[in-house]
Amino acid sequence: MGEKTDVVVIGGGYAGVMAANRLMKREDVAVTLINPRPVFVPRLRLHQLVGATHDAVVDYTDVLAEGVRLVLDSATRIDAAERRVLLAEAGSTGYDHLVYAVGSGDPVPRVPGAAEFAYPVATLEAAQRLREALFDAPAPAAVTVVGGGPSGIETAAELAEQGREVTLVCGGDLGPYLHPKARRTARKYLARLGVDLVEGPGSAVVEVRRDAVRLADGRTLSSQITIWAAGFGVPDLAARSGLRTDSAGRLLTDETLTSIDDERIVAAGDCSAPSDLPFRMSAYAAGCLGAHAADTVLQRIAGQRPAPVDLAFPAMCISFGRNAGIFQLGRKDDTALPLYFPGFAGKKLKEAACEASVKHLVTEAREPGAHHWPKDGKHRSALLAARHDRRAPIA
Ligand SMILES: Cc1cc2nc3c(=O)[nH]c(=O)nc-3n(C[C@H](O)[C@H](O)[C@H](O)COP(=O)(O)OP(=O)(O)OC[C@H]3O[C@@H](n4cnc5c(N)ncnc54)[C@H](O)[C@@H]3O)c2cc1C
């Protein structure tokens, strides 16, 4: 038997695990997964970790295909010319192909005082720190959640359900993705849980202090614990390695998910920006992109031309504590329809989606190549064509 092709996957989240498992389709491929923690983190449960209703960890032995070599370390630089990944602890490792799947994490807030006084929630360690801080704070302590998107809403709801005094500061609209009808339902659920909602253009936080937040409209809200849930940040590994990224730091790729700088590097999940038109950051997209990235590598190894990525978003879902949810149906181009499942049905569907995000990894581990996802077919190519036309020089 000849030498194996070495594929290194950086990042053991939804995208990296899916890619690593799928790559096991070929027996002549050796797959190494680099991740700093010995456990898989289903990040979509981190608000539950904060609210103490889930521990948000899964053993890698449950989700990773047998035969994938797990290296507990952090990549510090990619040397594309030498085809090596430099590691924080244990030297470096060489590759024939590389999957870049470092995901996202806590943003670096530019608002004065936020980095110093606000607790982020987007990584396991951050969520654990926040949980400890809440544990030490008396129950009536004022808690302010900054961010009106899904993770802010879910964190606020989870804590209010635990009896906390929560204010959700949206910095704009509540749940910008939601259809207006679903948004009204969201307001109702938050009110029922006792969450004070601060919405609208004046609600942007302009300063975080030790015991308060200041808003753009001049109001100051007392806050013993401030939680920063206003978006995710992306690791700067690609940029640090001299690879081109978008303005947020996501690796720029073509539609096959191949780096525009290096055919040996593909990207998937929250850290990827295909055609500078990234998909919505989500566990759902990360799994699908991880599978597609693996297919691109496998096609290259087989001497075939990789296919462009095709992915439709059927829905977006938000939990409101443990008893209600909104399952917002979407169009294939990832915009909201006027249709959604509220209440108990919404909660059940949201829970099913959370479970499915891990089940897909388990299935792929047992049967590499099994993961299929809904395809879009036309919207993305139309979007790309429209952008191309806009950028075309005027004759
Ligand atoms: C509170 C909360 C609620 C959410 N709810 C939902 C939801 O309902 N639905 C949904 O679809 N999405 C949800 N998300 C978003 C979702 O979790 C992310 O979009 C998803 O985790 C992205 O997957 P990924 O594989 O790209 O990256 P990640 O899951 O972030 O995994 C990346 C991995 O790479 C590792 N890594 C990073 N840098 C390095 C390095 N230098 N070397 C080695 N390893 C590295 C990280 O430690 C991590 O293990 C939620 C997120 C949060 C925080």
Side-chain angles (χ1 to χ4, degrees):
M1 201 172 129
E3 290 242 314
K4 289 200 172 192
T5 304
D6 283 315
V7 185
V8 170
V9 180
I10 311 179
Y14 298 93
V17 170
M18 178 62 83
N21 290 346
R22 199 167 184 99
L23 286 161
M24 296 305 283
K25 249 169 134 176
R26 278 186 78 119
E27 287 181 4
D28 59 352
V29 169
V31 183
T32 301
L33 176 68
I34 302 166
N35 194 72
R37 291 178 216 90
V39 283
F40 172 78
V41 179
R43 285 180 54 215
L44 48 64
R45 301 274 194 194
L46 287 178
H47 56 287
Q48 286 189 253
L49 187 150
V50 172
T53 58
H54 204 284
D55 58 5
V57 288
V58 174
D59 215 288
Y60 271 121
T61 51
D62 293 336
V63 292
L64 207 52
E66 243 183 83
V68 174
R69 187 168 74 99
L70 177 64
V71 172
L72 295 183
D73 213 327
S74 281
T76 53
R77 202 165 69 81
I78 300 161
D79 184 339
E82 292 294 321
R83 286 195 220 147
R84 295 203 79 75
V85 178
L86 280 64
L87 301 172
E89 304 288 335
S92 67
T93 184
Y95 64 81
D96 296 307
H97 296 270
L98 183 73
V99 180
Y100 185 75
V102 294
S104 64
D106 299 315
V108 183
R110 292 202 188 95
V111 170
E116 202 178 347
F117 298 120
Y119 291 88
V121 71
T123 62
L124 180 70
E125 293 73 17
Q128 285 168 338
R129 269 195 305 277
L130 170 57
R131 187 169 151 175
E132 279 166 29
L134 284 160
F135 189 75
D136 291 340
V143 176
T144 304
V145 179
V146 182
S151 56
I153 295 172
E154 292 187 323
T155 307
E158 208 74 34
L159 291 175
E161 199 174 61
Q162 306 287 322
R164 293 282 175 176
E165 300 289 326
V166 182
T167 301
L168 176 60
V169 179
C170 296
D173 287 340
L174 173 74
Y177 179 92
L178 294 171
H179 187 272
K181 276 162 59 181
R183 190 170 299 127
R184 282 197 288 277
T185 304
R187 287 196 190 104
K188 191 175 80 186
Y189 290 159
L190 290 169
R192 199 187 285 168
L193 287 164
V195 175
D196 276 338
L197 195 56
V198 184
E199 279 186 271
S203 67
V205 172
V206 294
E207 186 189 357
V208 180
R209 299 179 190 151
R210 189 180 297 279
D211 56 0
V213 296
R214 204 161 59 77
L215 307 186
D217 61 11
R219 275 180 289 174
T220 299
L221 310 176
S222 161
S223 178
Q224 263 77 62
I225 296 208
T226 301
I227 301 171
W228 199 264
F232 301 145
V234 174
D236 65 354
L237 176 62
R240 253 190 294 133
S241 305
L243 298 163
R244 272 178 289 175
T245 65
D246 70 359
S247 55
R250 290 173 282 224
L251 186 72
L252 280 173
T253 74
D254 64 14
E255 285 294 284
T256 72
L257 305 184
T258 305
S259 159
I260 59 168
D261 294 311
D262 191 324
E263 202 180 88
R264 300 272 174 166
I265 300 176
V266 298
D270 285 2
C271 63
S272 62
S275 305
D276 205 0
L277 197 65
F279 292 94
R280 167 155 54 97
M281 285 184 175
S282 57
Y284 164 74
C288 302
L289 293 172
H292 190 88
D295 287 346
T296 291
V297 171
L298 292 170
Q299 280 152 354
R300 281 227 165 84
I301 293 170
Q304 296 161 358
R305 220 170 116 170
V309 66
D310 191 2
L311 160 65
F313 282 81
M316 197 270 252
C317 42
I318 304 181
S319 62
F320 291 80
R322 296 300 89 212
N323 297 307
I326 288 179
F327 191 84
Q328 168 71 70
L329 294 169
R331 298 182 188 88
K332 283 187 172 179
D333 63 352
D334 201 21
T335 54
L337 282 164
L339 289 171
Y340 66 102
F341 293 94
F344 188 69
K347 172 223 143 148
K348 284 290 214 194
L349 287 164
K350 160 83 189 185
E351 183 53 32
C354 289
E355 283 174 13
S357 67
V358 174
K359 264 191 208 149
H360 290 322
L361 303 177
V362 176
T363 308
E364 191 72 18
R366 291 189 189 137
E367 194 193 331
H371 188 53
H372 295 281
W373 58 92
K375 302 289 193 293
D376 167 8
K378 56 177 187 197
H379 291 94
R380 187 164 173 88
S381 42
L383 265 176
L384 289 168
R387 193 181 59 176
H388 183 264
D389 289 348
R390 276 200 307 278
R391 285 182 181 176
I394 298 160

